[in-house]
Amino acid sequence: MSMTMHVDIVSAETEIYSGTVIECYAPAEMGEVGIHPRHAPLITKLKPGEVRIVLQDGDEKSFFVNGGILEIQPHVVTILSDTAIRAADIDEAAAMEAKSRAEAAMADKKSDLDYARAKAELIEAVAKIETIKKLRKRK
Amino acid sequence: MAGAKEIRSKIKSIQNTAKITKAMEMVAASKMRKAQDRMRASRPYAEKIRNVLAHLAQANPEYKHPYLVDREEVKRVGYIIVSTDRGLCGGLNTNMFKAAVKEMIEWDSQGIEVDVCAIGRKAVGFFGRFKCNLVSQADHLGDSPSMEDLIGTVKVMLDAYDEGKIDRLYLVHNVFVNTMTQQPRIHQMVPVSGEIDQELEHHWDYIYEPDARHIIDGLMFRFIESQVYQGLVENIASEMSARMIAMKSATDNAGEIIKELQTVYNKARQAAITQEISEIVSGAAAV
């Protein structure tokens, strides 16, 4: 058995990526996980962040997921994300704006509900900015 | 020429009808394209989550979610029936209702009661008249439904399952095969029935992070959501293509009727002219 595995990244709206890879990194709830072929079966939740895959020819691809579920079978990895976008497609300006908006909303907390939503938005915006920063550094 | 005038107005009205059906056909065609895109886009997610669930059903989790456990005794079953909001789409709804009613009668003959959750105006109307227990309904969801509109309706059924009121939950909707063919499909949603994969039959289990209960609950909810949503978007794609076909044949039929009426009209006109001429001729002969 060659040391590759199949990765499917799907979001509720569309299929983002499907193909053979040699490594995959995902932001699991308990910390980032690195997955190599023949990993033990695992299911975990994802938090907003970057999913990175290493293709057979050594190329890297990066995606942003906004939470979801990760399933690992020895040779199949499935990422069911709530929303996923290619990291290069992230609109940094929009992410920055979302961040400051969320921070402002958190500052004048009227109700717990608003606060919780603003917090979730902030986490997402920060994760997006982090992803794009990482992507830049690698380039 | 009394007959001719009547025929002429008849032709006019059929021409108007044909114009309307032609317009409806074109509207349905453009909506169909959009509905198909939407259906294709969400299909991978629905398929993948079904795979994960099938794996999970074969695993031996320390925590067995109620949706994964088959109940031995079935006393009452639930059906979520997804139909269209509007009519004029051929036999689409009728065929599906027939298939569902056939199963219900079978349950009934076994002394098992049936609860129905109707989505779409046609299902609400049909199962409202039909002798069955309509527990929840949702209609006017539009062409691009959002999950939020559905959650409440579906939750009624899931709660009933959790409380043990129903022991099985089925989803009924039309499957879009291609533009010409749509098939009603009834499939068991809860408890989840996974196809047994020979390779994975030995005892194994997932590693759960952070804990099994937390994840499986979340996964189940997503699963049901995506299944119902997928059913709904497929049904909309089916509706649009069925309507397009129905309207196309209506337009064709109108064309044929117009042709026939035109012949009848021409004949009547000819007869009137002939009669007039023979009257004039015989009048002249008499002079």
Side-chain angles (χ1 to χ4, degrees):
Chain A
M1 205 81 178
S2 63
M3 289 301 273
T4 57
M5 58 188 175
H6 189 82
V7 169
D8 288 306
I9 303 175
V10 292
S11 76
E13 289 101 39
T14 181
E15 186 177 74
I16 303 290
Y17 180 82
S18 174
T20 310
V21 305
I22 47 177
E23 276 170 43
C24 173
Y25 301 90
E29 206 171 44
M30 310 281 282
E32 186 165 341
V33 287
I35 309 150
H36 286 244
R38 299 170 71 179
H39 194 288
L42 176 134
I43 285 189
T44 184
K45 278 194 176 173
L46 293 178
K47 58 185 182 185
E50 182 197 27
V51 170
R52 196 152 54 87
I53 52 175
V54 181
L55 303 179
Q56 277 166 301
D57 53 12
D59 268 2
E60 280 191 15
K61 270 196 164 108
S62 182
F63 304 92
F64 174 80
V65 295
N66 179 13
I69 294 160
L70 167 74
E71 189 225 6
I72 304 173
Q73 290 281 338
H75 288 280
V76 184
V77 174
T78 311
I79 294 171
L80 301 162
S81 82
D82 299 341
T83 54
I85 40 179
R86 283 172 196 85
D89 295 344
I90 296 178
D91 186 346
E92 199 189 5
M96 284 292 196
E97 198 193 305
K99 187 186 168 198
S100 53
R101 202 168 0 131
E103 276 167 349
M106 277 171 78
D108 72 345
K109 43 185 167 183
K110 283 188 209 103
S111 67
D112 286 345
L113 189 75
D114 282 350
Y115 186 76
R117 191 182 298 157
K119 198 174 169 191
E121 266 172 32
L122 181 65
I123 290 171
E124 188 190 325
V126 169
K128 268 187 188 167
I129 294 164
E130 286 291 311
T131 305
I132 210 152
K133 268 188 193 152
K134 269 193 219 162
L135 194 69
R136 273 219 198 103
K137 215 181 280 168
R138 246 177 268 134
K139 274 177 188 168
Chain B
M1 286 274 285
K5 198 176 177 208
E6 258 169 42
I7 293 169
R8 222 173 22 220
S9 70
K10 216 175 196 178
I11 290 176
K12 195 84 201 149
S13 88
I14 292 171
Q15 271 170 345
N16 287 340
T17 312
K19 266 183 213 158
I20 293 169
T21 55
K22 182 83 193 160
M24 283 182 80
E25 180 196 332
M26 288 194 293
V27 169
S30 82
K31 277 189 179 171
M32 182 185 75
R33 226 161 294 140
K34 268 183 230 150
Q36 273 185 37
D37 289 343
R38 211 171 293 125
M39 176 189 75
R40 286 215 190 87
S42 60
R43 224 179 221 174
Y45 189 90
E47 269 167 21
K48 289 289 163 349
I49 200 161
R50 202 181 303 143
N51 280 352
V52 172
L53 253 293
H55 286 159
L56 199 64
Q58 292 156 34
N60 302 281
E62 64 235 63
Y63 164 64
K64 273 271 182 200
H65 194 277
Y67 296 172
L68 288 171
V69 185
D70 216 346
R71 293 184 190 160
E72 276 170 29
E73 200 188 353
V74 178
K75 291 192 290 290
R76 193 179 255 274
V77 293
Y79 278 88
I80 295 178
I81 295 171
V82 181
S83 79
T84 66
D85 268 341
R86 271 161 295 173
L88 291 181
C89 47
L92 190 75
N93 287 321
T94 323
N95 288 343
M96 185 176 64
F97 294 157
K98 255 188 217 157
V101 166
K102 203 176 140 204
E103 280 218 355
M104 284 178 196
I105 289 169
E106 230 162 79
W107 287 120
D108 198 47
S109 67
Q110 290 169 37
I112 294 165
E113 284 177 89
V114 178
D115 278 356
V116 173
C117 159
I119 296 171
R121 220 156 53 95
K122 290 286 155 187
V124 172
F126 182 85
F127 289 98
R129 289 192 301 273
F130 190 67
K131 235 179 67 188
C132 68
N133 192 7
L134 190 63
V135 290
S136 66
Q137 62 182 62
D139 51 18
H140 295 291
L141 293 169
D143 294 334
S144 47
S146 70
M147 203 54 230
E148 286 87 64
D149 303 333
L150 279 179
I151 285 175
T153 321
V154 174
K155 197 152 189 314
V156 172
M157 287 312 241
L158 291 180
D159 285 348
Y161 184 87
D162 288 340
E163 288 162 20
K165 277 188 201 149
I166 56 171
D167 302 303
R168 258 182 215 170
L169 184 56
Y170 292 89
L171 179 67
V172 186
H173 66 98
N174 282 296
V175 179
F176 182 88
V177 183
N178 55 42
T179 316
M180 299 298 289
T181 348
Q182 299 86 33
Q183 274 167 353
R185 189 174 74 143
I186 301 176
H187 94 129
Q188 185 177 327
M189 202 155 58
V190 180
V192 177
S193 51
E195 300 90 43
I196 300 299
D197 196 338
Q198 292 298 323
E199 257 179 81
L200 295 164
E201 269 226 78
H202 60 274
H203 278 252
W204 61 281
D205 192 11
Y206 283 108
I207 303 166
Y208 300 93
E209 265 181 27
D211 64 307
R213 192 185 190 97
H214 193 62
I215 288 170
I216 295 176
D217 281 354
L219 191 64
M220 278 300 165
F221 191 67
R222 275 283 146 69
F223 172 69
I224 302 290
E225 242 183 44
S226 91
Q227 293 296 296
V228 176
Y229 182 78
Q230 187 62 25
L232 193 62
V233 291
E234 277 209 29
N235 201 65
I236 290 170
S238 303
E239 175 194 353
M240 292 310 164
S241 53
R243 176 166 303 130
M244 191 182 79
I245 301 297
M247 287 303 118
K248 190 173 165 42
S249 62
T251 314
D252 292 350
N253 285 346
E256 248 157 60
I257 292 174
I258 289 171
K259 223 194 237 166
E260 271 169 34
L261 283 177
Q262 197 73 51
T263 325
V264 175
Y265 170 73
N266 288 347
K267 271 185 190 158
R269 198 174 60 108
Q270 287 291 351
I273 292 169
T274 314
Q275 201 190 342
E276 217 168 291
I277 290 174
S278 69
E279 266 166 23
I280 292 168
V281 170
S282 60
V287 173

